[in-house]
């Protein structure tokens, strides 16, 4: 797999995982898991943005 293709694939998977964690956070009723899922979603969105930045920088 090429370097740029890998960055794009990982970025898309991170965005999907972040969205799933965001949905889990919205539908969670307990306080601690709710904020845990929200923090995980934010971290995955930041990671995906970093991979997209690296992908666009290499072009």
């Amino acid at each position: 797999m090429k370097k740029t293709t890998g960055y794009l694939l990982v970025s898309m998977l991170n965005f999907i995982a972040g969205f799933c964690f965001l949905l889990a956070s919205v539908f969670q009723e307990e306080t601690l898991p709710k904020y845990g899922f929200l923090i995980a979603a934010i971290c995955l969105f930041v990671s995906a943005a970093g991979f997209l930045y690296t992908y666009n920088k290499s072009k």
Side-chain angles (χ1 to χ4, degrees):
M1 181 169 19
K2 292 183 179 179
K3 187 176 181 180
T4 56
T5 306
Y7 286 140
L8 191 57
L9 179 66
V10 169
S11 176
M12 289 185 336
L13 289 175
N14 277 342
F15 272 122
I16 292 169
F19 185 70
C20 290
F21 271 110
L22 186 65
L23 286 178
S25 172
V26 168
F27 293 114
Q28 183 62 255
E29 293 181 5
E30 297 177 21
T31 304
L32 187 60
K34 181 179 191 92
Y35 291 115
F37 285 139
L38 185 61
I39 291 170
I42 291 169
C43 291
L44 282 169
F45 283 135
V46 169
S47 173
F51 275 111
L52 271 180
Y53 174 76
T54 305
Y55 172 75
N56 287 333
K57 186 179 170 187
S58 69
K59 279 184 126 181

